[in-house]
Amino acid sequence: MKFQKICVIGLGYIGLPTASTFASHGVNVLGVDISRHIIDTLNKGEIHIHEPGLLDEVKKAIQSGNFHAASKPEEADAFIIAVPTPFQENKVGEYNGITYKLADMRAVISAAESIVPFLKKGNLVVLESTSPPRTTVDLIAPILARSGLEAGRDFHLAYSPERVLPGQIMRELIENARVIGGITPESAQAGHDLYATFVKGQIIQTDATTAEMVKLMENTYRDVNIAIANEFSRLADKFGVDVWEAISVANLHPRVKILNPGPGVGGHCISVDPWFFVEVAPELTPLIYHSRQVNDAQPHFVVDLVKRALGPLTGKKIAALGLAYKPDVDDLRESPANEVVHLLQKEGAFVKAWEPFKPDASLPGIILSPTFEESIKDADALVLLVNHTEFKNLDPEKLTQRSTARIVIDTAGGWNALQWQKAGFKFFRLGVGK
Ligand code: SAJ
């Protein structure tokens, strides 16, 4: 199948890189978004999100005349839906005494509805948004049927999840393997033909529900495995063991690969996607549910450790190092570090946080220091919350002159205990009960 013109609905972290990459590969792309601000920004040749390489790609796309942004779709050969699927704010599900979060599918629904008036025979529609299993078949196909056309007979319909890592999106979009699930084999083939425009990685064709599950399984697998690492850290603490040492020895076994414990699981994917399974089958997902509970509870164990190190926290001054959800990114969404800061404050501590990747962020209820110096200067303790390279490279010796702190608490496994002890610090680490 040939694609001369496509509409990409949703111009966020995934939609915009996808739209501009298609455009720079010769496809005529209309980017659609509900935000006037985003449309105006793009049509001026600027961008509203931070992603290395994206601005250049968008500029190139606009200059080539292949990319425009607008608030409504138009007729096209293919439509890609890449809108957010957050949680519902005011509603949870309940099953046998447990409560679980529910996906808010409103953006996906209205994106599908916006396509209906423009859908023609022979078109392809692809959903990219992370969604609960069967969304393509049970939610999208019926909406598109309002056009009078039937998915799989009159037009192609497929699900293809994005699997790129923020910070590397422009490269991974092209190089990563891509799965395309069609509601018929012909739909999968059409999806293959579309993404083959720029994807250099393997393109795997399957059915739509399998592709939906693949995406959720990848991130759930990781969440469950981080949960067991976090549980091991609690056990090690109880039994006077160093969990980091124990994990590194266990991982010498050729078939074992335990992940790292830490202050919790954050970001917009791994802490979110497992709920999409629990929502549709709570009776089948006790392990997935409990792993989420374990990871969400981890900030409390961090606070217990800080209390052990410092005694009662009332009036204690703490420098919280790192607020991002993982090392060397500027993304603060769903970050467990934020939760730790709030819990420390609840215990009466006075916390100054420092996030080198977003020094001017404003977070409700959190005091962000404008500089590293300022956060550590008169602190009683330094708490490492994110393993940013900048923190790993700190020289404890030099810090003794820059900070009053003589206690450090490493929750991310980033610091060398001996080095800090030699410099005169009392050293505590998550998952070390010695
Ligand atoms: N974490 C740990 N211990 C570990 C590894 C990670 O506590 O051993 C924590 C991190 O600190 C972070 C969270 O888990 O808070 C998630 O980080 P991550 O690097 O595992 O994942 P994300 O959310 O940045 O990106 C994932 C990726 N999926 C997988 O690796 C299976 C990415 O490929 C996906 O595109 C992305 O989710 C997504 O959009 O779903």
Side-chain angles (χ1 to χ4, degrees):
M1 217 177 138
K2 271 304 278 155
F3 298 94
Q4 266 154 10
K5 176 165 179 186
I6 67 170
C7 268
V8 177
I9 300 160
L11 297 174
Y13 273 97
I14 299 302
L16 185 57
T18 305
S20 54
T21 304
F22 270 115
S24 68
H25 283 74
V27 181
N28 184 354
V29 180
L30 178 71
V32 179
D33 204 286
I34 52 169
S35 157
R36 193 71 244 169
H37 167 72
I38 292 178
I39 296 167
D40 293 343
T41 308
L42 290 171
N43 284 332
K44 272 191 285 181
E46 294 163 15
I47 55 175
H48 60 291
I49 47 184
H50 171 77
E51 177 63 31
L54 179 60
L55 180 60
D56 283 350
E57 193 80 352
V58 169
K59 279 193 171 147
K60 243 189 338 189
I62 290 178
Q63 273 158 16
S64 71
N66 271 342
F67 179 73
H68 304 275
S71 59
K72 280 203 167 55
E74 291 170 4
E75 287 194 353
D77 301 313
F79 299 87
I80 294 176
I81 300 174
V83 294
T85 45
F87 294 131
Q88 293 189 31
E89 300 244 339
N90 309 317
K91 210 172 140 204
V92 290
E94 280 185 47
Y95 171 80
N96 255 355
I98 67 161
T99 56
Y100 50 86
K101 299 185 185 184
L102 298 168
D104 179 347
M105 301 303 288
R106 281 177 300 178
V108 168
I109 292 170
S110 71
E113 286 172 343
S114 76
I115 297 172
V116 172
F118 305 101
L119 196 61
K120 288 187 318 232
K121 268 196 163 174
N123 279 170
L124 164 67
V125 179
V126 183
L127 176 65
E128 284 204 17
S129 311
T130 306
S131 303
R134 295 197 62 85
T135 297
T136 310
V137 175
D138 291 345
L139 184 69
I140 304 298
I143 293 174
L144 297 177
R146 293 179 204 160
S147 64
L149 302 174
E150 191 186 318
R153 188 191 64 192
D154 303 316
F155 67 94
H156 301 299
L157 176 61
Y159 181 79
S160 183
E162 56 78 15
R163 296 142 99 198
V164 289
L165 212 55
Q168 321 240 6
I169 293 180
M170 303 315 289
R171 184 176 59 75
E172 290 206 356
L173 260 187
I174 291 175
E175 289 176 7
N176 286 6
R178 181 135 206 155
V179 56
I180 316 258
I183 67 156
T184 57
E186 293 74 25
S187 289
Q189 183 61 44
H192 168 280
D193 296 349
L194 175 64
Y195 287 96
T197 307
F198 64 77
V199 172
K200 294 213 174 77
Q202 199 186 347
I203 303 180
I204 300 109
Q205 296 181 40
T206 181
D207 64 86
T209 310
T210 302
E212 289 163 349
M213 273 199 71
V214 165
K215 164 76 185 192
L216 299 178
M217 281 164 55
E218 289 167 355
N219 285 344
T220 302
Y221 169 86
R222 220 164 146 75
D223 196 45
V224 170
N225 281 284
I226 297 168
I228 201 168
N230 282 335
E231 226 164 65
F232 287 154
S233 77
R234 299 171 193 177
L235 289 166
D237 189 73
K238 183 175 166 80
F239 296 118
V241 163
D242 179 336
V243 77
W244 306 88
E245 180 196 350
I247 288 175
S248 70
V249 178
N251 280 349
L252 294 176
H253 187 291
R255 287 175 295 284
V256 173
K257 176 77 192 84
I258 302 168
L259 294 175
N260 292 324
V265 170
H268 213 58
C269 307
I270 297 203
S271 62
V272 176
D273 296 0
W275 289 113
F276 290 180
F277 275 141
V278 178
E279 161 174 6
V280 290
E283 74 288 2
L284 298 179
T285 47
L287 175 66
I288 298 173
Y289 170 80
H290 282 110
S291 300
R292 281 277 73 244
Q293 300 296 104
V294 167
N295 288 335
D296 276 352
Q298 194 69 354
H300 292 275
F301 286 82
V302 169
V303 173
D304 287 348
L305 177 64
V306 177
K307 282 204 273 195
R308 212 187 308 153
L310 284 176
L313 296 184
T314 315
K316 295 278 160 58
K317 293 185 195 146
I318 295 175
L321 302 184
L323 287 175
Y325 85 90
K326 69 174 187 178
D328 297 333
V329 300
D330 70 346
D331 193 341
L332 313 186
R333 288 181 296 177
E334 318 277 336
S335 169
N338 281 309
E339 171 80 1
V340 171
V341 172
H342 283 298
L343 292 174
L344 291 171
Q345 287 172 338
K346 245 195 196 156
E347 294 281 336
F350 182 66
V351 184
K352 280 187 190 166
W354 163 241
E355 175 42 67
F357 286 85
K358 264 224 170 120
D360 49 6
S362 87
L363 290 168
I366 294 186
I367 300 171
L368 271 119
S369 292
T371 61
F372 174 62
E373 300 299 330
E374 159 73 21
S375 69
I376 62 165
K377 204 170 49 191
D378 54 1
D380 296 310
L382 314 181
V383 180
L384 177 67
L385 293 173
V386 186
N387 225 346
H388 290 317
T389 308
E390 163 171 340
F391 297 149
K392 275 195 281 193
N393 294 339
L394 283 172
D395 181 347
E397 218 37 87
K398 287 192 188 136
L399 275 193
T400 54
Q401 277 123 57
R402 294 154 72 189
S403 171
T404 51
R406 289 298 173 266
I407 297 178
V408 293
I409 299 127
D410 172 4
T411 75
W415 284 341
N416 179 316
L418 281 179
Q419 236 187 343
W420 287 87
Q421 285 157 347
K422 246 175 64 197
F425 288 90
K426 260 182 109 174
F427 188 90
F428 294 82
R429 177 179 286 150
L430 182 81
V432 180
K434 289 182 183 169

